Amino acid sequence: MFFLISTILLLAFALLAVIDGFYLHIIKYQLFNHMESKFEHLTHTIRAILFPLIVFFLFVNQNCLISFYLGVLFIVIDLVVLGIDAYVEKDSRSFMGGLPRWEYILHLFVNGFHFASIAVFLAIKLTFTENGFEIIKDLSNQKNFELFHFVAINLLPGAIVLAFIHIFTSIKATKVHWNNLRNKIECSACSKPPLS
């Protein structure tokens, strides 16, 4: 049951992250093209890189103790970067009159689902005893683990592509190519005759 909950939370996060992290930040608002929001884009880039690392080390490679500790380290870094991102967001969106209220609410849901899926996973992975806690090394015999593992593995390619897009738009030389490609797509979409 717990793995089913974590799977649903992970899928909800992934769906909203594509809307927020790709469509809004990269396509619609192009945060990387505005001086005020370049630092915010950097925090998003770091978090976009951390997400596939968390998925791989914590969720996919779950039966390795070193991998578990690396996953937890990436979660801690992600929390710190999230705090910095939230702090700079108000000033970084001045070019668009501030962060829209609905996008602020979207951010709450995105991050809520993200960290809730991790929290549920950790609740399964850690067993508290009289002497502290014990890390369950292998979870493959747990109910709904295979579904969770399947979803986690299949989220990795898209998460890696999104991380590369963030990196691509962060570097001045490659950002030019991204903007040219985006303009060509927009121009070809505008030049198409309307359907009759």
Side-chain angles (χ1 to χ4, degrees):
M1 181 67 176
F2 289 115
F3 268 121
L4 185 59
I5 293 168
S6 194
T7 303
I8 292 166
L9 291 167
L10 191 59
L11 284 170
F13 162 74
L15 176 65
L16 293 180
V18 169
I19 294 167
D20 184 49
F22 180 65
Y23 174 69
L24 292 178
H25 295 173
I26 302 289
I27 302 296
K28 185 174 181 181
Y29 299 134
Q30 302 175 53
L31 298 182
F32 54 90
N33 281 328
H34 300 277
M35 189 57 76
E36 307 96 316
S37 58
K38 282 192 176 184
F39 187 75
E40 182 187 355
H41 181 66
L42 175 63
T43 62
H44 294 171
T45 302
I46 294 167
R47 294 196 72 209
I49 293 166
L50 286 169
F51 178 65
L53 293 173
I54 291 169
V55 170
F56 178 77
F57 286 105
L58 195 67
F59 298 156
V60 174
N61 196 27
Q62 58 82 33
N63 58 358
C64 172
L65 199 57
I66 295 170
S67 182
F68 173 78
Y69 286 124
L70 281 171
V72 170
L73 173 65
F74 294 136
I75 291 166
V76 172
I77 296 168
D78 191 36
L79 278 166
V80 171
V81 176
L82 171 63
I84 295 167
D85 176 37
Y87 183 78
V88 302
E89 224 161 30
K90 183 181 178 186
D91 297 329
S92 75
R93 299 300 187 93
S94 59
F95 73 91
M96 52 186 277
L99 184 71
R101 187 169 287 156
W102 61 268
E103 190 181 348
Y104 176 76
I105 293 167
L106 178 63
H107 289 176
L108 290 175
F109 279 102
V110 169
N111 288 298
F113 289 140
H114 174 53
F115 289 109
S117 69
I118 291 169
V120 173
F121 179 83
L122 291 176
I124 303 166
K125 187 80 175 167
L126 301 173
T127 302
F128 290 92
T129 63
E130 294 174 359
N131 303 324
F133 65 89
E134 179 186 329
I135 301 168
I136 300 171
K137 188 175 179 186
D138 186 13
L139 298 171
S140 59
N141 60 345
Q142 301 275 336
K143 190 176 181 184
N144 296 313
F145 171 79
E146 286 193 19
L147 173 65
F148 175 81
H149 197 250
F150 174 81
V151 168
I153 287 172
N154 284 284
L155 283 179
L156 273 176
I160 292 167
V161 167
L162 195 55
F164 273 113
I165 290 171
H166 275 80
I167 293 166
F168 200 71
T169 54
S170 296
I171 301 167
K172 193 173 183 179
T174 53
K175 180 174 73 170
V176 172
H177 294 295
W178 176 268
N179 285 331
N180 288 339
L181 176 66
R182 189 179 183 282
N183 289 337
K184 284 178 186 174
I185 292 169
E186 279 185 354
C187 289
S188 65
C190 294
S191 63
K192 284 181 181 176
L195 297 172
S196 51

